[in-house]
Amino acid sequence: MTDAAVHAPAAAAGPSHHTSTGLSNTKLAMWVYLGSDCLLFGSLISTYLLLRHRSVTGPGPNQVFDIPFTSVSSFVLLMSSLTMALAVAAITRGDIHRNRAWLATTAMLGAVFIGGQVYEFTTFYREGLGYTTNIFGSAFYTLTGFHGVHVSVGIVMLMSLLVTSLRGNLGPERAETVETIGLYWHFVDIVWILIFTVVYLIP
Amino acid sequence: MSTTAHAEDVHPVGGAPAHDHPSDLKYVKIALLLGLITTFEVATYFYEDASTTFLVLTLLPMMTAKFLIVTGYFMHLKYDNKLFRRVFFFGLILATVVFLILLSTFAFWGDEYFKYLR
């Protein structure tokens, strides 16, 4: 029996990580980071909840929010989670072409979401809500702005993956890299699930 | 041997993740469910007579359901090693407890908070 035949079952069962936990350190580090990011967004959301009704000047949430528009943006980001999951599934199967297609689609949906946020911010500004107009504006722009930065960083990471793939350096052996970046992308989505409900839908 | 690709049949290759993934069709079904829940959430906006209590009691469970579906299926916490789940939910629960205490400190839940605003 050849060495290749002996090692084949191990390869099919996935990678073995020579770490004290037997798990990928990269993936574990990403989960630790995401757990800590919960504290960042928790602080921003609770600050917003405490401050949103304390404005004495300028427009408030009821005057500026356009729920139908934000609903479409939310739906776009939600569907980007689907395309990211499909990208991870494709690279896991070794389907590089579909992986590229889903990565590009995910980045594009993320860009559409950011475009929507830029449009929303511009509209709010024209309606008289600047960053320093009132305390609601400051809390709102800080919370949603931080989320927007997270989405933008995610888009950069997705584009990096796409370029790496086009150069031929992203094969099935690096599926875990795609999965780890996918975790970040899904986290950005679940944070928006919280923001959409707590900030936009509950008065 | 069946050639149908079920969730358990999708085997990784090379350095791919060691745990099982749902099939593509299952991912699409999950996304449709998420879209449906979002539709219900948005529908509450058009119900003009809804009280804040009603909105909180209907929207928070839907939000929680979406959160758990994405973390469980798209992020694979349902299938992956339990350590990942513990690490993430430790941060999440810590954040929830800390900021519930913060909101309570400012008497956010009672009428006093809103009287203070006036």
Side-chain angles (χ1 to χ4, degrees):
Chain A
M1 189 180 284
T2 64
D3 281 353
V6 169
H7 294 298
S16 58
H17 297 284
H18 300 289
T19 61
S20 57
T21 58
L23 302 169
S24 159
N25 280 342
T26 313
K27 203 166 147 183
L28 185 59
M30 178 55 84
W31 276 114
V32 171
Y33 164 71
L34 297 181
S36 68
D37 226 15
C38 289
L39 286 156
L40 170 72
F41 280 104
S43 68
L44 293 173
I45 290 172
S46 50
T47 303
Y48 173 83
L49 288 174
L50 283 170
L51 300 180
R52 68 175 168 178
H53 292 303
R54 297 186 69 171
S55 303
V56 289
T57 58
N62 296 337
Q63 283 85 49
V64 293
F65 283 168
D66 181 356
I67 301 298
F69 178 81
T70 313
S71 303
V72 174
S73 292
S74 302
F75 190 75
V76 166
L77 196 62
L78 204 58
M79 289 306 107
S80 76
S81 255
L82 168 66
T83 56
M84 188 71 232
L86 293 173
V88 174
I91 195 74
T92 305
R93 289 192 305 263
D95 190 343
I96 292 169
H97 293 292
R98 278 201 184 157
N99 172 252
R100 285 175 190 163
W102 289 127
L103 285 176
T105 309
T106 308
M108 191 194 69
L109 290 172
V112 169
F113 176 83
I114 289 295
Q117 198 168 42
V118 169
Y119 172 79
E120 186 183 48
F121 283 9
T122 309
T123 308
F124 290 179
Y125 185 76
R126 285 182 183 154
E127 289 175 6
L129 184 71
Y131 188 73
T132 54
T133 303
N134 56 29
I135 205 159
F136 155 68
S138 303
F140 172 79
Y141 284 124
T142 304
L143 170 59
T144 53
F146 258 96
H147 180 265
V149 168
H150 274 71
V151 176
S152 303
V153 169
I155 293 170
V156 170
M157 290 197 288
L158 289 170
M159 294 308 292
S160 304
L161 278 182
L162 193 57
V163 170
T164 308
S165 180
L166 290 171
R167 286 180 175 173
N169 296 327
L170 192 69
E173 74 284 352
R174 292 188 65 192
E176 194 181 274
T177 307
V178 181
E179 190 188 14
T180 306
I181 289 175
L183 291 176
Y184 176 85
W185 190 262
H186 295 308
F187 177 77
V188 163
D189 182 36
I190 58 175
V191 169
W192 187 254
I193 287 172
L194 299 181
I195 291 174
F196 181 58
T197 303
V198 174
V199 173
Y200 287 89
L201 292 179
I202 295 178
Chain B
M1 187 179 163
S2 169
T3 55
T4 309
H6 294 295
E8 292 74 20
D9 296 333
V10 181
H11 293 297
V13 293
H19 55 82
D20 289 328
H21 285 264
S23 64
D24 285 3
L25 182 62
K26 190 165 185 181
Y27 279 134
V28 173
K29 285 179 181 173
I30 291 164
L32 288 174
L33 177 63
L34 290 169
L36 189 67
I37 297 172
T38 307
T39 307
F40 284 126
E41 282 182 328
V42 175
T44 61
Y45 168 73
F46 296 101
Y47 181 39
E48 292 179 356
D49 296 333
S51 66
T52 303
T53 308
F54 170 79
L55 289 175
V56 169
L57 291 177
T58 52
L59 288 170
L60 288 187
M62 287 195 275
M63 180 193 80
T64 308
K66 284 167 70 179
F67 185 97
L68 292 175
I69 290 169
V70 173
T71 51
Y73 290 95
F74 286 166
M75 298 174 89
H76 305 144
L77 275 187
K78 187 174 159 59
Y79 307 97
D80 226 332
N81 192 286
K82 284 181 181 174
L83 182 63
F84 297 136
R85 198 181 312 166
R86 286 177 189 154
V87 165
F88 178 66
F89 279 100
F90 174 77
L92 180 67
I93 291 167
L94 179 66
T96 307
V97 170
V98 166
F99 296 112
L100 283 179
I101 291 170
L102 173 78
L103 292 172
S104 301
T105 306
F106 284 87
F108 180 75
W109 316 109
D111 291 337
E112 292 81 10
Y113 178 74
F114 294 98
K115 281 178 190 167
Y116 168 72
L117 295 180
R118 291 184 202 108

